[in-house]
């Protein structure tokens, strides 16, 4: 009866013990971030008890339907117990209540799940796949999860690895190998332990070789979404809707382009930098570029301006870019380095070097402040970044106020150039308005271009209302519509209005396009993450002896929600990705400590273990053969028998082919043989007999004779093989 | 039916069985198991949902590694299967076994299967396709030797073994059959037997028994038995019929053994066959008249050797459900029907209905011999309660016990049920 009970179970006893251990580890891993020390004990205990209970009930042939019911009751009981403890009982202190609640919750949940999976696996082998998945899922859950399980956050462990000098992909690869091998034993059924261990060792060796081969393999990453930041949408919409979403995005982008072009045609002038911002503003902004600094730099107005291009030529309708702006690099450095015509005063500017890494294609390279030299650099990861280039810029170290007293247009400018930077629409209202604004200037500063510019800037900031809801698309001159209308608009309108007003006062000005990042809202690391929603337009004025100066307009009123702080985790992650710096920005010494798998030592260790194993086998062999010669107590008589059988086995005579040792001795050695004599005498204690001193002496004498018998019956080849073979099993 | 007619005969059953055989062979050679197929589907979805969509590097490695392991296992299973097939076939090419043995005996088949210990990842298991043999194996470093223990009677011209090569994870498996030529006759096991088991009444033959068929002047007379007083012999009758008879009311001193014994074959009839063998062995020539028949033979035999042959051959007629009883019964002298013994199997089957029909048609009250091997069906086993039956799956051993009890109950309504333990020879009536 008991045999039947065991036979209906699909697994050997040792396999079950191994699986309980692995499941305990798995449950420990799953609950690691969720429970405290006592909770871990509860979880592991729940796994052990559930597995044992499943085994006992499987032996008793409990029908599966009841197992499912028991699991459901256990899980429900755990949840209910937790709820009850937390909400109803609550008579003890808070800490105890929470602990008790967690106890019921995890004990019930883990117990129920493990009991169910074990019950299925003990009856149906195919169910063992579920347990394998649980094991693999543990590592994925623990180490591949996004921070706080938020899909738009970077993966916590990868971030940690980047920051600590490790390559996450390499570590993940080893984790994958480890979890695959931990999951494999969960597929064991009835298997002999020796064969299982032997096979697993060989599989590990194969995996090591495979890992060497796979070391160059990288998972092909979707360039459009390298870090899976759109996973939330994908999940919501499902795979079937992905194409639709792409189409929608394209449509939205196209619409946005249309809007921008409309603005441009109407005098707005902005290019399609807002493509990466959600068109409705409700979607999460997407990163478009990351700038990596190599030195400290803080802009005077607290805003990092990443300029792409400028609009300075008034074509009778609106501002467009012009070849006159040769101090601005507006093309990507595809073939080589590009230099701007130097117009900035080096004495008043600080040289800043940055590296730019773009996630999205741009037709003009964003450059910090006044980019002077743009050159291509190696893309650290083409799957993540679409392009990379270095920029040497000049950043103004002074506040604009410190420039008071300077003129705008230098004497040496040609008339054509003056006209170029002073051209405005043929609308007298610009001049009239600007005159009204500058009329209020303190007489001491009358005629000072910088003061005029500051007054116009201040007026726009006070009077203007920032909103993206009013676009002035239908107007012939959107800037006039904004400036002489509601004064409601966004950065493009403010920039154009400022430029026209400034020009009307004889100040050379132009509109710059690019991205603006508030220094107060970014992280503390040396990288600046540029998001799609940070596209911006701002005015620039020319100051004699200084060069082009950014004159940012900050409207005091508006309906824009306050800007959010930059995602420091994202910023840090992308920064490190961009650097491809194994030291994680640390000192060069840290680079030496970077983790590499010491293959030479690993192979040496494996080789050493093999040699030790061989030595152990040979020592065992020698001990068995030698100890048979030195038997002086009747209790050691078995050693002679063991030595004799071992010697036979060593040369290929297996006693297990015969049913008993007696029949083996009889058939192989003969009736009158010393082997038979040894077997007869040494087997006596098993039959309840004893061995006298005389018999012991006989055994000692018979052993060398038996060895001779073996030697006579064995060919030289077999003898050599017998001595070489380290593993002789009896 | 010659080969020509056989070829032209269209039979769905034959086509079905051929297709089934081909399918079984193909399934055996197909190396992927259900576990493997489920795993393949799972890996596909993991790749599709997690690896491709979320760039999961851990699962990427897991999937690739499992595919590698899968490939390695498949390779080893294939190579091992080929090695086992070729080496085993070569080793046993001229290995033909011929012997005569009995159930529970020991047959050294000399058959060796190639099972090298050093081949990793795979396990080789060998099983006999014929359930009449239990295979015992001793595994060496390279070869697995075997000896066979017959557990069922029969005549065998070949042994068919199924060799299963599978990996230790159960992902790949290949099975194939190998045949060894043989000429083996397996007798039922020799059981203990008391003649008391086959005694019915303390009378002589059934010629003149009140319950028998009266015939002429032999009404109310019975055959003289050794030990009867000579004065009771009806000498006038002897003068006319040359038969020594006495009057029926006179009690017999020694029991008479003229009887009709029928062996009903069915599932679990080995104990019953042992009883048949013991009975046939002990039934002497001068003990009286014996009519013995067995399922499948369709004849009455009086020679015990022939009877034994019929018992052995009856193993191939288990599916007939005892229907030969109705065709053999008319051949038996009606008077002998009074001493009718039916050796019945331990499992319930269609034969019960045939027996019921036989009893009804011939108006006899046979003695049913239920042979058991050690365990007594009347022993009160704890019956599974309704609740327990609802909770747990039934055990096959328990099922057999229930069957025997049920058989005894059913048969006790038709005649006397006698339970004989072939291990000890003890016999007693059921209830």
């Amino acid at each position: 009866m008991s045999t039947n009970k065991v036979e209906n179970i699909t697994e050997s006893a040792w396999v079950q013990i191994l699986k309980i251990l692995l499941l305990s580890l798995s449950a420990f891993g799953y609950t690691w971030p969720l429970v405290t020390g006592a909770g871990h004990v509860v979880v592991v205990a729940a796994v052990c008890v559930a597995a044992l209970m499943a085994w006992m009930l499987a032996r008793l042939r409990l029908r599966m339907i009841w197992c499912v019911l028991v699991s459901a009751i256990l899980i429900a009981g755990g949840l209910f117990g937790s709820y009850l403890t937390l909400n109803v009982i609550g008579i003890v202190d808070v800490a105890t209540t929470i602990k008790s609640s967690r106890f019921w919750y995890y004990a019930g949940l883990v117990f129920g799940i493990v009991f169910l999976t074990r019950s299925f696996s003990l009856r149906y082998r195919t169910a063992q796949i579920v347990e394998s998945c649980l094991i693999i899922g543990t590592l994925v859950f623990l180490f591949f999860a996004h921070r706080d399980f938020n899909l738009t956050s970077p993966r916590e462990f990868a971030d940690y690895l980047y920051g600590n000098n490790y390559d996450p992909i390499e570590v993940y690869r080893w984790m994958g190998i480890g979890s695959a091998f931990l999951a494999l034993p969960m597929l064991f059924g009835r298997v002999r332990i020796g064969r299982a261990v032997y096979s697993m060792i060989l599989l590990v060796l194969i995996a090591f070789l495979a890992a060497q081969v796979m070391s160059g393999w990288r998972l092909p990453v979707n360039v459009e979404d390298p870090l899976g930041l759109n996973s939330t949408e994908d999940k919501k919409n499902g795979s079937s809707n992905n194409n639709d979403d792409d189409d929608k995005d394209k449509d939205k982008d196209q619409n946005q382009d249309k809007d921008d072009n409309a603005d441009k045609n109407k005098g707005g002038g902005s290019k399609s930098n807002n493509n990466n911002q959600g068109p409705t503003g409700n979607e999460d902004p997407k990163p478009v570029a990351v700038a990596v600094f190599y030195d400290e730099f803080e802009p005077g107005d607290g805003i990092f301006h990443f300029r792409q291009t400028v609009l300075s030529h008034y074509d009778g309708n609106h501002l467009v870019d012009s070849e006159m702006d040769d101090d601005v690099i507006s093309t990507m450095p595809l073939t080589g380095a590009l230099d701007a015509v130097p117009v900035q005063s080096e004495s008043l500017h600080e040289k800043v070097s940055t590296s730019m890494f773009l996630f999205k294609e741009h037709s003009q390279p964003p450059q910090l402040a006044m980019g002077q030299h743009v050159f291509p650099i190696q893309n650290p990861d083409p799957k993540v970044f679409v392009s990379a280039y270095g920029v040497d810029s000049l950043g103004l170290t002074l506040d604009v106020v410190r420039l008071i007293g300077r003129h705008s247009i230098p004497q040496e400018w040609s008339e054509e150039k003056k006209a170029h930077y002073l051209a405005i629409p043929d609308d007298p209202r610009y001049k009239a308005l600007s005159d009204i604004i500058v009329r209020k200037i303190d007489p001491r500063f009358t005629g000072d271009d910088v003061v005029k510019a500051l007054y116009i800037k201040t007026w726009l900031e006070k009077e203007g209302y920032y909103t993206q809801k009013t676009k002035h698309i239908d107007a012939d001159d959107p800037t006039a519509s904004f400036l002489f209308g509601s004064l409601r608009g966004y950065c493009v309108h403010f920039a154009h209005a400022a430029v026209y007003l400034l020009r009307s006062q004889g100040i050379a000005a132009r509109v710059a396009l690019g991205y603006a990042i508030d220094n107060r809202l970014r992280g503390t690391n040396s990288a600046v993450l540029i998001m799609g929603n940070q596209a911006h337009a701002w005015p620039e004025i020319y100051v004699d002896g200084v060069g082009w100066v950014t004159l940012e307009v900050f409207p005091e009123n508006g309906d824009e929600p306050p800007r959010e702080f930059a995602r420091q985790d994202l910023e840090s992650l992308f920064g490190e990705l961009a650097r491809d710096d194994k030291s994680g920005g640390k000192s060069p010494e840290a680079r030496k400590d970077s983790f590499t798998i010491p293959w030479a030592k690993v192979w040496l260790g494996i080789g050493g273990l093999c040699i030790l194993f061989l030595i152990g086998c040979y020592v065992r062999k020698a001990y068995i053969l030698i100890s048979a010669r030195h038997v002086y107590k009747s209790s050691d008589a078995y050693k002679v028998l063991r030595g004799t059988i071992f010697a036979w086995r060593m040369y290929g005579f297996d006693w297990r082919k015969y049913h008993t040792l007696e029949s083996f001795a009889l058939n192989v050695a003969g009736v009158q043989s010393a082997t038979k004599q040894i077997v007869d005498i040494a087997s006596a204690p098993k039959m309840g007999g004893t061995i006298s001193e005389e018999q012991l002496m006989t055994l000692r004498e018979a052993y060398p004779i038996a060895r001779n018998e073996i030697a006579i019956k064995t060919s030289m080849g077999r003898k050599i093989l017998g001595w070489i073979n380290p593993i002789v099993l009896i | 039916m010659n080969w020509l007619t056989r070829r032209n005969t269209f039979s769905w059953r034959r086509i079905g069985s051929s297709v089934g055989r081909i399918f079984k062979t193909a399934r055996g050679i197909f190396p992927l198991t259900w576990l493997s197929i489920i795993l393949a589907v799972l890996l596909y979805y993991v790749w599709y949902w997690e690896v491709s969509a979320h760039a999961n590097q851990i699962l990427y490695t897991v999937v690739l590694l499992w595919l590698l392991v899968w490939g390695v296992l498949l390779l080893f299973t294939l190579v091992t299967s080929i090695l086992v097939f070729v080496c085993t076939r070569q080793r046993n090419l001229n290995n033909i076994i011929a012997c005569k043995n009995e159930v529970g005996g020991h047959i050294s088949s000399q058959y060796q299967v190639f099972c090298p210990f050093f081949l990793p990842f795979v396990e080789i298991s060998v099983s006999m396709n014929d359930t009449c043999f239990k295979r015992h194996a001793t595994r060496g470093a390279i070869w697995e030797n075997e000896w066979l223990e017959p557990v069922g009677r029969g005549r065998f011209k070949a042994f068919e073994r199924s060799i299963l090569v599978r990996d230790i994870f159960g992902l790949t498996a290949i099975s194939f059959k190998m045949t060894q030529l043989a000429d083996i006759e397996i007798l039922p096991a020799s059981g203990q037997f008391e003649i008391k088991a086959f005694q019915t009444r303390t009378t002589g033959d059934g010629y003149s028994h009140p319950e028998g068929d009266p015939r002429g002047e032999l009404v109310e007379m019975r055959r003289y038995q050794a030990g009867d007083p000579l004065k009771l012999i009806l000498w006038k009758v002897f003068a006319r019929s040359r038969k020594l008879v006495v009057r029926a009311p006179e009690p017999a001193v020694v029991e008479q053994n003229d009887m009709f014994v029928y062996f009903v074959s069915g599932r679990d009839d080995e104990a019953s066959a042992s009883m048949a063998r013991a009975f046939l062995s002990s039934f002497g020539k001068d003990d009286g008249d014996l009519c013995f028949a067995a399922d499948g033979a369709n004849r009455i035999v009086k020679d015990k050797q022939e009877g034994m042959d019929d018992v052995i051959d009856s193993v191939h007629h288990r599916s007939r459900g005892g229907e030969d009883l109705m065709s053999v019964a008319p051949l038996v002298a009606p008077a002998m029907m009074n001493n009718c013994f039916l050796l019945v199997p331990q499992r319930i089957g269609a034969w019960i209905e045939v027996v019921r029909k036989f009893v009804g048609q011939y108006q006899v009250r046979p003695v049913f011999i239920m042979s058991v091997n050690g365990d007594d069906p009347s022993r009160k086993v704890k019956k599974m309660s309704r609740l327990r039956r609802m909770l747990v799956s039934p055990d096959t051993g328990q099922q057999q016990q229930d069957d025997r009890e049920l058989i005894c109950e059913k048969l006790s309504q038709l005649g006397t049920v006698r339970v004989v333990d072939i291990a000890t020879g003890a016999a007693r009536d059921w209830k």
Side-chain angles (χ1 to χ4, degrees), chain A residues 626-683:
Chain A
I626 293 167
S627 65
R629 289 181 184 273
H630 305 283
V631 173
Y632 303 104
K633 289 188 291 185
S634 58
S635 59
D636 288 344
Y638 76 91
K639 288 183 179 174
V640 183
L641 181 63
R642 186 180 66 183
T644 311
I645 299 301
F646 187 84
W648 280 108
R649 182 76 183 87
M650 197 166 79
Y651 297 136
F653 297 95
D654 187 3
W655 75 271
R656 285 175 296 183
K657 291 178 184 174
Y658 305 85
H659 306 305
T660 58
L661 281 174
E662 285 79 4
S663 66
F664 167 71
L666 206 64
N667 285 293
V668 175
V671 184
Q672 299 295 326
S673 63
T675 306
K676 177 80 170 62
Q677 204 175 6
I678 289 170
V679 168
D680 289 343
I681 296 171
S683 305

Side-chain angles (χ1 to χ4, degrees), chain A residues 1 60-61 63 66 125 133 144 155 173 176 179-181 187 192 195 198-199 202 219 656-657 659, chain B residues 54-56 60 62 66 106 117-122 138-139 145 147 169 389-393 395:
Chain A
M1 201 66 135
L60 293 174
R61 297 170 186 277
R63 290 179 192 272
W66 299 114
R125 286 214 61 192
C133 293
F144 206 72
R155 304 190 191 282
R173 180 180 299 123
S179 59
F181 273 94
L187 295 178
R192 280 174 290 179
R195 182 161 291 271
Y198 166 51
S199 301
L202 280 178
L219 180 60
R656 285 175 296 183
K657 291 178 184 174
H659 306 305
Chain B
H54 296 145
N56 193 325
Y60 171 68
V62 169
W66 272 29
H106 175 117
F117 78 95
F118 50 80
L119 276 179
F121 313 128
V122 286
T138 51
R139 189 162 282 196
N145 298 289
W147 63 273
F169 302 107
R389 279 204 300 275
M390 196 172 70
L391 286 174
V392 303
S393 309
D395 183 12

Side-chain angles (χ1 to χ4, degrees), chain B residues 260-279:
Chain B
F260 167 53
V261 179
Y262 188 85
F263 176 81
V264 181
S265 67
R267 283 171 65 200
D268 284 331
D269 62 355
E270 278 308 323
S272 186
S274 288
M275 177 53 61
R277 181 187 172 187
F279 169 71

Side-chain angles (χ1 to χ4, degrees), chain B residues 378-397:
Chain B
S378 63
R379 181 171 53 86
K380 276 289 170 197
V381 286
K382 196 177 176 185
K383 248 187 156 180
M384 278 176 83
S385 64
R386 185 185 292 268
L387 179 68
R388 192 173 160 77
R389 279 204 300 275
M390 196 172 70
L391 286 174
V392 303
S393 309
D395 183 12
T396 48

Side-chain angles (χ1 to χ4, degrees), chain B residues 64-139:
Chain B
L64 288 183
L65 202 71
W66 272 29
L67 286 176
L68 174 76
V69 170
W70 199 3
V72 169
L73 295 177
L74 190 61
L75 180 73
F76 269 84
T77 307
L78 281 169
V79 170
T80 309
S81 300
I82 293 167
L83 277 176
V84 170
F85 181 78
V86 172
C87 296
T88 305
R89 190 165 178 270
Q90 202 63 29
R91 186 82 166 192
N92 302 289
L93 212 54
N94 300 315
N95 188 357
I96 301 169
I97 179 171
C99 67
K100 189 170 181 178
N101 213 308
E102 66 175 34
V103 171
H106 175 117
I107 299 174
S108 181
S109 66
Q110 305 296 324
Y111 196 83
Q112 290 186 309
V113 180
F114 183 67
C115 294
F117 78 95
F118 50 80
L119 276 179
F121 313 128
V122 286
E123 284 203 323
I124 301 160
S125 57
V126 186
S127 60
M128 300 295 292
N129 281 3
D130 203 321
T131 52
C132 290
F133 292 93
K134 193 174 172 185
R135 186 173 180 275
H136 298 267
T138 51
R139 189 162 282 196

Side-chain angles (χ1 to χ4, degrees), chain A residues 85-105:
Chain A
T85 315
L86 208 58
N87 296 299
V88 180
I89 296 175
I91 49 173
V92 287
D93 60 296
V94 175
T96 312
T97 306
I98 290 173
K99 275 183 187 173
S100 311
S101 164
R102 297 289 89 183
F103 167 81
W104 288 114
Y105 185 82

